[in-house]
Amino acid sequence: MKLDVKGKAKAPAWTGAILVAGIAAVGILAPLLAPSDPLEIHMAHRLAAPSVEYPLGTDHLGRCVLSRLIYGTRLSLFYSLTVLAVVLAISIPIGLLAGYVGGRTDRIIMRIIDVLLAFPSLILALAVAAVLGPGELHLLLAFAAVWWTGYARVIRGMVLQLKEKDYVMAARASGSSHLRIAFDHVLRGAVRPILVLASLEVGTIMLALAGLSFLGLGAQPPAPEWGVMLSDSRAYIQTAPRLMLYPGLAIAGCVLGFNLLAEGLRRPDRRSESRGGA
Amino acid sequence: MKLLEAVELTKVYGAKRRLRNQPFSEQAPAVNGVSLELRQNETLGLVGESGCGKSTLARMLLRLEAPTSGRIRYRDMDITNWNFNRMREIRSRMQIVFQNSFSSFNPAFDVSRILAEPLRNSGIRSRDEQRRLSAEALESVGLSEACLVRRPAELSGGQQQRVGIARAIVLRPEILILDEPFSSLDFSLRRQTMHLLSELKQQLRLSYLFITHDLSIIEHFCDRVAVMRQGEILERQAGVELQTKARHPYTRMLLDAIPAQHPRQRKIGHVLTENCTRTE
């Protein structure tokens, strides 16, 4: 697995990689980078304009916007990666099972997925989150519960294709067990596409999570989460539109970074795939 | 001594019986009631056009595909319904060389992992032992130990074929199924591979089931030949006698389809014999 550094995708891939690395660094180094406490309220400095003390100004409670953005990176990144991890943990075994075993198992699993896919995922996540009650953990669970279906489907499709490969037959002839074949020969070939899909979806998940927080179902105020920040500053859109601009830009930047990175990862490894015949 | 035997083997793809005793009439069978036996130390040729069921038959013999009906016997043991663990014990006795070696290797594996897989499955877990046996197998197909660290894509077509053979013999089997081993090779490599296989047969006392659609090789390589068409065996002959004794019009047609080396030799009775002796 490596980035395509020589092909045409050079620039976007590296831009994406640098953006994502930068975002991750900001999240990890948040306590060092933030100029002040993201939760500290200074009613005297409400809605202050950018200054040396508050580089991006303050919000309606006098909190430092920059610090909140920086800490928000942590939350957004952590939440979306957690969702992704849970989603992959559910969808990989299920997709692998459906595709590899096939037959009735496959049909049953796919019909269940069809039913779940028939619901609009965001609305379903909303419903699940509403039933579980507000809170980060519940939101993440609700999200993973509706998001895995698409992955399972894609993974099943890849497995169906990979299990017909000659080397799977060769592995069977050499006496490998189905479990070993499923992991060593089938899943291994799907790792790269899964990673591409995952990195493409981090942005989408981030966006959707911010959307749910905006609606009041995810992270709760005063947490410095981008969606919450957007929601909080909605009332000041006339007087202080920059309060909505910054979190919006942060979300857009993250999504862009992950999408570009995904684009770079999607380029096939030429050395191993260009020689089909022999 | 019969090593591997097919008894009335039939394979129908997509066969479904609504009732237990209902016949499989819905689709043409890929293999239809074929009986075949591979004896010790012989090379049995299985000839036929593409899609006649040769490869399906081979895969059923190795239990890589389930037969719709019929039995498979290995050394007089009926292995048709053996489970995974019992099959695993005799997998090391029967191996297969695939038509397209490159696609039969996992592109993510290097040669050492490709060769270690059958070894590990037959219970050889020590890395050193795996390495030693792999190097030995590579040597017997004329490759050096240095190949162990290569990926399949880094090997030439001829080397890939040799690694494919090395993987098949690394467990010292007694039966080797060769599924059109020459079809992806050019003529000079074909000759080399044929010599290699003849040598290995002597050295390791192998028995070959040699599947091909190319009759020009058969005569000198096979002791016996079975001609297959549309899932059925049309006729059987001794290898050297195929040319003179072929009775079935289809076999004659296949024989006539072998290109002559010189226009004057076309359609003359013993074209094939002359060709082969001259090119040897």
Side-chain angles (χ1 to χ4, degrees), chain A residues 165-178 180-181 184-186 188 269 271-272 275-278, chain B residues 59 64 84 88 91 95-96 98 102-109 113 117-118 120-121 153-155 160 167 184:
Chain A
K165 294 273 184 190
D166 281 356
Y167 55 77
V168 171
M169 181 73 81
R172 290 224 290 131
S174 82
S176 291
S177 65
H178 281 300
R180 192 172 269 285
I181 292 174
D184 264 15
H185 296 287
V186 176
R188 204 185 168 109
D269 190 353
R271 203 180 56 176
S272 62
R275 297 183 49 155
Chain B
R59 280 188 231 127
L64 296 174
F84 174 78
R88 198 177 209 178
R91 284 258 180 246
Q95 284 291 315
I96 179 166
F98 289 90
F102 182 72
S103 68
S104 77
F105 302 140
N106 187 334
F109 282 16
R113 276 198 80 174
E117 187 169 14
R120 189 195 54 212
N121 290 332
E154 296 164 351
L155 300 171
Q160 286 168 4
R167 169 172 63 186
S184 60

Short mmCIF file of all heavy atoms in Angstrom, two decimals, chain A residues 165-178 180-181 184-186 188 269 271-272 275-278, chain B residues 59 64 84 88 91 95-96 98 102-109 113 117-118 120-121 153-155 160 167 184:
data_model
loop_
_atom_site.label_atom_id
_atom_site.label_comp_id
_atom_site.label_asym_id
_atom_site.label_seq_id
_atom_site.Cartn_x
_atom_site.Cartn_y
_atom_site.Cartn_z
N LYS A 165 -11.13 -16.63 -8.06
CA LYS A 165 -9.77 -16.56 -8.58
C LYS A 165 -9.13 -17.95 -8.60
O LYS A 165 -9.41 -18.78 -7.75
CB LYS A 165 -8.92 -15.63 -7.71
CG LYS A 165 -9.37 -14.19 -7.74
CD LYS A 165 -8.72 -13.46 -8.88
CE LYS A 165 -9.09 -11.98 -8.85
NZ LYS A 165 -8.68 -11.29 -10.05
N ASP A 166 -8.23 -18.14 -9.56
CA ASP A 166 -7.53 -19.41 -9.65
C ASP A 166 -6.75 -19.71 -8.38
O ASP A 166 -6.64 -20.87 -7.99
CB ASP A 166 -6.54 -19.38 -10.83
CG ASP A 166 -7.25 -19.60 -12.15
OD1 ASP A 166 -8.47 -19.84 -12.12
OD2 ASP A 166 -6.59 -19.52 -13.20
N TYR A 167 -6.21 -18.67 -7.74
CA TYR A 167 -5.38 -18.98 -6.58
C TYR A 167 -6.19 -19.46 -5.39
O TYR A 167 -5.65 -20.08 -4.48
CB TYR A 167 -4.44 -17.82 -6.21
CG TYR A 167 -5.06 -16.48 -5.97
CD1 TYR A 167 -5.72 -16.19 -4.79
CD2 TYR A 167 -4.95 -15.48 -6.93
CE1 TYR A 167 -6.25 -14.94 -4.57
CE2 TYR A 167 -5.48 -14.23 -6.72
CZ TYR A 167 -6.14 -13.96 -5.54
OH TYR A 167 -6.68 -12.74 -5.32
N VAL A 168 -7.48 -19.21 -5.40
CA VAL A 168 -8.33 -19.77 -4.35
C VAL A 168 -8.47 -21.27 -4.57
O VAL A 168 -8.35 -22.08 -3.64
CB VAL A 168 -9.70 -19.07 -4.32
CG1 VAL A 168 -10.66 -19.80 -3.40
CG2 VAL A 168 -9.54 -17.63 -3.89
N MET A 169 -8.67 -21.64 -5.84
CA MET A 169 -8.72 -23.06 -6.20
C MET A 169 -7.40 -23.74 -5.83
O MET A 169 -7.38 -24.84 -5.28
CB MET A 169 -8.99 -23.17 -7.70
CG MET A 169 -9.10 -24.55 -8.25
SD MET A 169 -10.63 -25.39 -7.81
CE MET A 169 -11.76 -24.71 -9.02
N ALA A 170 -6.29 -23.05 -6.14
CA ALA A 170 -4.97 -23.62 -5.84
C ALA A 170 -4.81 -23.82 -4.33
O ALA A 170 -4.26 -24.83 -3.89
CB ALA A 170 -3.88 -22.71 -6.38
N ALA A 171 -5.30 -22.87 -3.56
CA ALA A 171 -5.18 -22.98 -2.10
C ALA A 171 -5.99 -24.17 -1.60
O ALA A 171 -5.56 -24.89 -0.71
CB ALA A 171 -5.65 -21.70 -1.43
N ARG A 172 -7.15 -24.38 -2.21
CA ARG A 172 -7.96 -25.53 -1.79
C ARG A 172 -7.24 -26.82 -2.14
O ARG A 172 -7.23 -27.77 -1.36
CB ARG A 172 -9.33 -25.48 -2.49
CG ARG A 172 -10.18 -24.34 -1.96
CD ARG A 172 -11.61 -24.77 -1.71
NE ARG A 172 -12.33 -25.03 -2.93
CZ ARG A 172 -13.05 -26.14 -3.13
NH1 ARG A 172 -13.10 -27.08 -2.22
NH2 ARG A 172 -13.70 -26.28 -4.26
N ALA A 173 -6.62 -26.85 -3.33
CA ALA A 173 -5.90 -28.05 -3.74
C ALA A 173 -4.74 -28.33 -2.80
O ALA A 173 -4.36 -29.47 -2.61
CB ALA A 173 -5.39 -27.91 -5.17
N SER A 174 -4.20 -27.28 -2.20
CA SER A 174 -3.06 -27.48 -1.31
C SER A 174 -3.53 -27.81 0.11
O SER A 174 -2.72 -27.99 1.00
CB SER A 174 -2.16 -26.25 -1.30
OG SER A 174 -2.68 -25.28 -0.43
N GLY A 175 -4.84 -27.85 0.31
CA GLY A 175 -5.36 -28.30 1.60
C GLY A 175 -5.64 -27.19 2.60
O GLY A 175 -5.78 -27.46 3.79
N SER A 176 -5.71 -25.94 2.15
CA SER A 176 -6.01 -24.85 3.08
C SER A 176 -7.47 -24.89 3.49
O SER A 176 -8.34 -25.23 2.68
CB SER A 176 -5.71 -23.50 2.43
OG SER A 176 -4.33 -23.34 2.26
N SER A 177 -7.73 -24.53 4.75
CA SER A 177 -9.11 -24.53 5.22
C SER A 177 -9.85 -23.32 4.68
O SER A 177 -9.25 -22.33 4.28
CB SER A 177 -9.13 -24.51 6.75
OG SER A 177 -8.59 -23.29 7.19
N HIS A 178 -11.18 -23.41 4.70
CA HIS A 178 -11.98 -22.31 4.19
C HIS A 178 -11.71 -21.01 4.95
O HIS A 178 -11.65 -19.93 4.38
CB HIS A 178 -13.47 -22.64 4.29
CG HIS A 178 -13.91 -23.55 3.19
ND1 HIS A 178 -13.81 -23.19 1.87
CD2 HIS A 178 -14.44 -24.80 3.21
CE1 HIS A 178 -14.27 -24.19 1.11
NE2 HIS A 178 -14.64 -25.18 1.91
N ARG A 180 -8.99 -20.07 6.47
CA ARG A 180 -7.71 -19.51 6.07
C ARG A 180 -7.79 -18.90 4.67
O ARG A 180 -7.26 -17.82 4.42
CB ARG A 180 -6.64 -20.60 6.09
CG ARG A 180 -5.25 -20.04 5.96
CD ARG A 180 -4.23 -21.12 6.18
NE ARG A 180 -3.82 -21.26 7.55
CZ ARG A 180 -3.00 -20.41 8.17
NH1 ARG A 180 -2.59 -19.33 7.57
NH2 ARG A 180 -2.64 -20.62 9.40
N ILE A 181 -8.49 -19.59 3.77
CA ILE A 181 -8.63 -19.05 2.42
C ILE A 181 -9.39 -17.73 2.47
O ILE A 181 -9.01 -16.75 1.83
CB ILE A 181 -9.35 -20.06 1.50
CG1 ILE A 181 -8.47 -21.28 1.27
CG2 ILE A 181 -9.71 -19.42 0.17
CD1 ILE A 181 -9.14 -22.39 0.51
N ASP A 184 -6.72 -15.23 4.12
CA ASP A 184 -5.44 -15.06 3.43
C ASP A 184 -5.61 -14.68 1.97
O ASP A 184 -4.84 -13.89 1.44
CB ASP A 184 -4.64 -16.37 3.50
CG ASP A 184 -3.65 -16.35 4.64
OD1 ASP A 184 -3.81 -15.47 5.51
OD2 ASP A 184 -2.75 -17.18 4.66
N HIS A 185 -6.58 -15.29 1.31
CA HIS A 185 -6.64 -15.11 -0.13
C HIS A 185 -7.77 -14.20 -0.58
O HIS A 185 -7.65 -13.51 -1.57
CB HIS A 185 -6.76 -16.47 -0.83
CG HIS A 185 -5.58 -17.35 -0.63
ND1 HIS A 185 -4.38 -17.11 -1.26
CD2 HIS A 185 -5.38 -18.43 0.14
CE1 HIS A 185 -3.51 -18.04 -0.88
NE2 HIS A 185 -4.09 -18.84 -0.04
N VAL A 186 -8.89 -14.25 0.13
CA VAL A 186 -10.03 -13.47 -0.32
C VAL A 186 -10.02 -12.07 0.30
O VAL A 186 -9.97 -11.06 -0.40
CB VAL A 186 -11.35 -14.19 -0.01
CG1 VAL A 186 -12.53 -13.33 -0.40
CG2 VAL A 186 -11.41 -15.51 -0.77
N ARG A 188 -7.71 -10.51 1.87
CA ARG A 188 -6.48 -9.79 1.59
C ARG A 188 -6.57 -8.98 0.30
O ARG A 188 -6.09 -7.86 0.22
CB ARG A 188 -5.35 -10.79 1.47
CG ARG A 188 -4.02 -10.18 1.76
CD ARG A 188 -2.94 -11.22 1.48
NE ARG A 188 -1.68 -10.54 1.49
CZ ARG A 188 -0.78 -10.70 2.45
NH1 ARG A 188 -1.03 -11.49 3.44
NH2 ARG A 188 0.35 -10.04 2.40
N ASP A 269 -1.85 -0.54 -7.71
CA ASP A 269 -0.43 -0.82 -7.64
C ASP A 269 -0.04 -1.46 -8.97
O ASP A 269 -0.34 -2.61 -9.23
CB ASP A 269 -0.20 -1.81 -6.49
CG ASP A 269 1.27 -1.98 -6.19
OD1 ASP A 269 2.08 -1.43 -6.96
OD2 ASP A 269 1.59 -2.64 -5.21
N ARG A 271 2.59 -2.53 -10.46
CA ARG A 271 3.49 -3.65 -10.61
C ARG A 271 2.76 -4.98 -10.48
O ARG A 271 3.04 -5.92 -11.20
CB ARG A 271 4.57 -3.58 -9.55
CG ARG A 271 5.81 -4.32 -9.93
CD ARG A 271 6.83 -4.21 -8.85
NE ARG A 271 6.28 -4.67 -7.59
CZ ARG A 271 6.98 -4.75 -6.49
NH1 ARG A 271 8.22 -4.39 -6.48
NH2 ARG A 271 6.44 -5.17 -5.37
N SER A 272 1.82 -5.06 -9.56
CA SER A 272 1.19 -6.35 -9.34
C SER A 272 -0.03 -6.57 -10.22
O SER A 272 -0.49 -7.68 -10.37
CB SER A 272 0.81 -6.51 -7.87
OG SER A 272 -0.13 -5.53 -7.53
N ARG A 275 0.29 -7.20 -15.04
CA ARG A 275 0.57 -8.44 -15.75
C ARG A 275 -0.51 -9.47 -15.50
O ARG A 275 -0.37 -10.35 -14.69
CB ARG A 275 1.92 -8.99 -15.30
CG ARG A 275 3.04 -8.06 -15.64
CD ARG A 275 4.34 -8.65 -15.25
NE ARG A 275 4.47 -10.02 -15.73
CZ ARG A 275 5.65 -10.57 -15.95
NH1 ARG A 275 6.73 -9.91 -15.75
NH2 ARG A 275 5.71 -11.81 -16.35
N GLY A 276 -1.58 -9.36 -16.27
CA GLY A 276 -2.68 -10.30 -16.10
C GLY A 276 -2.34 -11.66 -16.66
O GLY A 276 -2.46 -12.67 -16.00
N GLY A 277 -1.86 -11.70 -17.91
CA GLY A 277 -1.54 -12.97 -18.55
C GLY A 277 -0.24 -13.49 -18.01
O GLY A 277 0.05 -13.30 -16.86
N ALA A 278 0.50 -14.17 -18.79
CA ALA A 278 1.83 -14.55 -18.36
C ALA A 278 2.47 -15.35 -19.47
O ALA A 278 2.66 -16.48 -19.38
CB ALA A 278 1.79 -15.37 -17.08
N ARG B 59 -10.97 -31.45 -11.63
CA ARG B 59 -11.28 -30.84 -10.34
C ARG B 59 -12.13 -31.76 -9.47
O ARG B 59 -11.99 -31.78 -8.25
CB ARG B 59 -12.02 -29.51 -10.55
CG ARG B 59 -11.06 -28.40 -10.89
CD ARG B 59 -11.75 -27.07 -10.92
NE ARG B 59 -11.44 -26.39 -12.16
CZ ARG B 59 -12.34 -25.90 -12.99
NH1 ARG B 59 -13.61 -25.99 -12.73
NH2 ARG B 59 -11.95 -25.30 -14.08
N LEU B 64 -12.14 -30.88 -5.63
CA LEU B 64 -12.22 -29.42 -5.57
C LEU B 64 -13.61 -28.99 -6.00
O LEU B 64 -14.02 -27.87 -5.80
CB LEU B 64 -11.18 -28.78 -6.48
CG LEU B 64 -9.74 -29.06 -6.09
CD1 LEU B 64 -8.77 -28.51 -7.11
CD2 LEU B 64 -9.45 -28.47 -4.73
N PHE B 84 -13.30 -32.61 5.13
CA PHE B 84 -12.12 -31.78 4.93
C PHE B 84 -10.87 -32.38 5.57
O PHE B 84 -9.81 -32.47 4.94
CB PHE B 84 -12.38 -30.39 5.48
CG PHE B 84 -11.17 -29.51 5.46
CD1 PHE B 84 -10.77 -28.91 4.27
CD2 PHE B 84 -10.42 -29.29 6.60
CE1 PHE B 84 -9.64 -28.11 4.23
CE2 PHE B 84 -9.30 -28.49 6.56
CZ PHE B 84 -8.91 -27.90 5.38
N ARG B 88 -7.59 -33.72 3.73
CA ARG B 88 -6.33 -33.01 3.92
C ARG B 88 -5.16 -33.98 4.04
O ARG B 88 -4.06 -33.70 3.59
CB ARG B 88 -6.43 -32.16 5.19
CG ARG B 88 -5.41 -31.08 5.28
CD ARG B 88 -5.64 -30.27 6.53
NE ARG B 88 -5.18 -28.91 6.33
CZ ARG B 88 -5.30 -27.98 7.24
NH1 ARG B 88 -5.88 -28.23 8.37
NH2 ARG B 88 -4.85 -26.76 7.01
N ARG B 91 -4.29 -34.97 0.53
CA ARG B 91 -4.03 -33.90 -0.44
C ARG B 91 -2.57 -33.90 -0.88
O ARG B 91 -2.26 -33.56 -2.02
CB ARG B 91 -4.33 -32.53 0.18
CG ARG B 91 -5.79 -32.21 0.28
CD ARG B 91 -6.22 -31.26 -0.82
NE ARG B 91 -7.64 -30.96 -0.71
CZ ARG B 91 -8.54 -31.32 -1.62
NH1 ARG B 91 -8.15 -31.98 -2.70
NH2 ARG B 91 -9.80 -31.03 -1.46
N GLN B 95 -1.65 -33.66 -6.46
CA GLN B 95 -1.54 -32.23 -6.64
C GLN B 95 -1.84 -31.85 -8.08
O GLN B 95 -1.97 -32.71 -8.95
CB GLN B 95 -0.14 -31.76 -6.25
CG GLN B 95 0.05 -31.70 -4.74
CD GLN B 95 -0.78 -30.60 -4.10
OE1 GLN B 95 -0.83 -29.48 -4.58
NE2 GLN B 95 -1.46 -30.94 -3.02
N ILE B 96 -1.95 -30.56 -8.32
CA ILE B 96 -2.34 -30.11 -9.65
C ILE B 96 -1.45 -28.94 -10.10
O ILE B 96 -1.04 -28.12 -9.28
CB ILE B 96 -3.84 -29.72 -9.68
CG1 ILE B 96 -4.27 -29.22 -11.06
CG2 ILE B 96 -4.16 -28.69 -8.61
CD1 ILE B 96 -5.77 -29.14 -11.24
N PHE B 98 -1.62 -25.81 -12.60
CA PHE B 98 -2.67 -25.10 -13.30
C PHE B 98 -2.23 -24.60 -14.66
O PHE B 98 -1.04 -24.38 -14.91
CB PHE B 98 -3.18 -23.94 -12.46
CG PHE B 98 -3.98 -24.38 -11.27
CD1 PHE B 98 -3.36 -24.62 -10.05
CD2 PHE B 98 -5.34 -24.57 -11.37
CE1 PHE B 98 -4.09 -25.05 -8.96
CE2 PHE B 98 -6.08 -25.00 -10.28
CZ PHE B 98 -5.46 -25.24 -9.08
N PHE B 102 0.39 -17.91 -13.40
CA PHE B 102 0.37 -16.59 -12.78
C PHE B 102 -0.91 -16.37 -12.00
O PHE B 102 -0.89 -15.91 -10.86
CB PHE B 102 0.55 -15.50 -13.83
CG PHE B 102 0.58 -14.12 -13.24
CD1 PHE B 102 1.68 -13.70 -12.52
CD2 PHE B 102 -0.50 -13.26 -13.40
CE1 PHE B 102 1.72 -12.44 -11.95
CE2 PHE B 102 -0.47 -12.01 -12.83
CZ PHE B 102 0.64 -11.59 -12.12
N SER B 103 -2.04 -16.71 -12.61
CA SER B 103 -3.30 -16.44 -11.91
C SER B 103 -3.54 -17.45 -10.79
O SER B 103 -4.44 -17.26 -9.98
CB SER B 103 -4.47 -16.45 -12.90
OG SER B 103 -4.66 -17.75 -13.39
N SER B 104 -2.71 -18.49 -10.72
CA SER B 104 -2.91 -19.43 -9.62
C SER B 104 -2.06 -19.06 -8.40
O SER B 104 -2.01 -19.78 -7.43
CB SER B 104 -2.58 -20.86 -10.07
OG SER B 104 -1.19 -21.06 -10.13
N PHE B 105 -1.38 -17.91 -8.48
CA PHE B 105 -0.63 -17.40 -7.33
C PHE B 105 -1.32 -16.17 -6.77
O PHE B 105 -1.71 -15.28 -7.54
CB PHE B 105 0.79 -16.99 -7.73
CG PHE B 105 1.61 -18.09 -8.35
CD1 PHE B 105 2.43 -17.83 -9.42
CD2 PHE B 105 1.55 -19.38 -7.84
CE1 PHE B 105 3.19 -18.84 -10.00
CE2 PHE B 105 2.30 -20.39 -8.41
CZ PHE B 105 3.12 -20.12 -9.49
N ASN B 106 -1.42 -16.10 -5.48
CA ASN B 106 -1.93 -14.89 -4.85
C ASN B 106 -0.91 -13.77 -5.10
O ASN B 106 0.24 -13.89 -4.72
CB ASN B 106 -2.09 -15.14 -3.35
CG ASN B 106 -2.76 -13.98 -2.65
OD1 ASN B 106 -2.70 -12.84 -3.10
ND2 ASN B 106 -3.42 -14.28 -1.56
N PRO B 107 -1.34 -12.68 -5.77
CA PRO B 107 -0.37 -11.65 -6.13
C PRO B 107 0.30 -10.99 -4.92
O PRO B 107 1.36 -10.38 -5.06
CB PRO B 107 -1.20 -10.63 -6.91
CG PRO B 107 -2.62 -10.96 -6.62
CD PRO B 107 -2.68 -12.40 -6.27
N ALA B 108 -0.29 -11.14 -3.75
CA ALA B 108 0.30 -10.53 -2.56
C ALA B 108 1.38 -11.41 -1.93
O ALA B 108 2.10 -10.97 -1.05
CB ALA B 108 -0.79 -10.23 -1.53
N PHE B 109 1.49 -12.65 -2.38
CA PHE B 109 2.43 -13.59 -1.76
C PHE B 109 3.74 -13.62 -2.54
O PHE B 109 3.75 -13.50 -3.75
CB PHE B 109 1.85 -15.01 -1.78
CG PHE B 109 0.83 -15.27 -0.72
CD1 PHE B 109 0.22 -14.22 -0.04
CD2 PHE B 109 0.46 -16.56 -0.41
CE1 PHE B 109 -0.73 -14.47 0.94
CE2 PHE B 109 -0.50 -16.81 0.57
CZ PHE B 109 -1.08 -15.76 1.24
N ARG B 113 6.13 -17.88 0.38
CA ARG B 113 4.81 -18.12 0.98
C ARG B 113 3.97 -19.05 0.11
O ARG B 113 3.18 -19.85 0.62
CB ARG B 113 4.06 -16.80 1.15
CG ARG B 113 4.43 -16.08 2.43
CD ARG B 113 3.40 -15.05 2.80
NE ARG B 113 2.24 -15.64 3.45
CZ ARG B 113 1.25 -14.92 3.98
NH1 ARG B 113 1.29 -13.60 3.90
NH2 ARG B 113 0.23 -15.49 4.55
N GLU B 117 2.63 -22.70 1.72
CA GLU B 117 1.23 -22.97 2.03
C GLU B 117 0.89 -24.47 2.07
O GLU B 117 0.35 -24.94 3.07
CB GLU B 117 0.33 -22.24 1.03
CG GLU B 117 -1.14 -22.35 1.40
CD GLU B 117 -2.03 -21.43 0.58
OE1 GLU B 117 -1.57 -20.89 -0.43
OE2 GLU B 117 -3.19 -21.25 0.97
N PRO B 118 1.22 -25.23 1.01
CA PRO B 118 0.92 -26.66 1.11
C PRO B 118 1.69 -27.35 2.24
O PRO B 118 1.15 -28.25 2.88
CB PRO B 118 1.32 -27.23 -0.26
CG PRO B 118 2.07 -26.17 -0.96
CD PRO B 118 1.73 -24.88 -0.33
N ARG B 120 2.64 -26.08 5.15
CA ARG B 120 2.01 -25.78 6.42
C ARG B 120 0.74 -26.61 6.59
O ARG B 120 0.46 -27.14 7.66
CB ARG B 120 1.67 -24.28 6.47
CG ARG B 120 1.19 -23.79 7.81
CD ARG B 120 0.55 -22.43 7.64
NE ARG B 120 -0.48 -22.50 6.61
CZ ARG B 120 -0.79 -21.51 5.81
NH1 ARG B 120 -0.17 -20.36 5.89
NH2 ARG B 120 -1.75 -21.64 4.91
N ASN B 121 -0.03 -26.71 5.48
CA ASN B 121 -1.28 -27.46 5.57
C ASN B 121 -1.06 -28.95 5.83
O ASN B 121 -1.95 -29.61 6.34
CB ASN B 121 -2.08 -27.30 4.27
CG ASN B 121 -2.64 -25.90 4.15
OD1 ASN B 121 -2.88 -25.24 5.14
ND2 ASN B 121 -2.84 -25.46 2.92
N ALA B 153 4.78 -11.67 -9.97
CA ALA B 153 4.81 -10.72 -11.08
C ALA B 153 6.24 -10.39 -11.51
O ALA B 153 6.46 -9.87 -12.59
CB ALA B 153 4.08 -9.45 -10.68
N GLU B 154 7.20 -10.71 -10.64
CA GLU B 154 8.59 -10.41 -10.99
C GLU B 154 9.26 -11.56 -11.73
O GLU B 154 10.42 -11.46 -12.08
CB GLU B 154 9.39 -10.11 -9.71
CG GLU B 154 8.92 -8.87 -8.98
CD GLU B 154 9.43 -8.79 -7.55
OE1 GLU B 154 10.01 -9.77 -7.06
OE2 GLU B 154 9.26 -7.73 -6.95
N LEU B 155 8.51 -12.65 -11.94
CA LEU B 155 9.09 -13.81 -12.62
C LEU B 155 8.66 -13.84 -14.08
O LEU B 155 7.61 -13.33 -14.44
CB LEU B 155 8.61 -15.10 -11.94
CG LEU B 155 8.96 -15.27 -10.46
CD1 LEU B 155 8.24 -16.48 -9.90
CD2 LEU B 155 10.46 -15.42 -10.27
N GLN B 160 7.42 -18.74 -13.82
CA GLN B 160 6.14 -18.90 -13.13
C GLN B 160 5.66 -20.34 -13.25
O GLN B 160 5.21 -20.94 -12.28
CB GLN B 160 5.10 -17.95 -13.73
CG GLN B 160 5.33 -16.50 -13.32
CD GLN B 160 4.48 -15.54 -14.13
OE1 GLN B 160 3.67 -15.95 -14.96
NE2 GLN B 160 4.66 -14.27 -13.89
N ARG B 167 5.39 -25.92 -6.58
CA ARG B 167 4.36 -25.96 -5.54
C ARG B 167 3.66 -27.32 -5.54
O ARG B 167 3.31 -27.83 -4.49
CB ARG B 167 3.33 -24.85 -5.78
CG ARG B 167 2.11 -25.03 -4.89
CD ARG B 167 1.16 -23.88 -4.95
NE ARG B 167 0.59 -23.71 -6.28
CZ ARG B 167 -0.19 -22.69 -6.61
NH1 ARG B 167 -0.49 -21.77 -5.71
NH2 ARG B 167 -0.66 -22.58 -7.82
N SER B 184 -0.05 -21.84 -22.01
CA SER B 184 0.31 -20.44 -21.91
C SER B 184 1.80 -20.21 -22.19
O SER B 184 2.34 -19.17 -21.88
CB SER B 184 -0.08 -19.88 -20.55
OG SER B 184 0.59 -20.60 -19.54
#
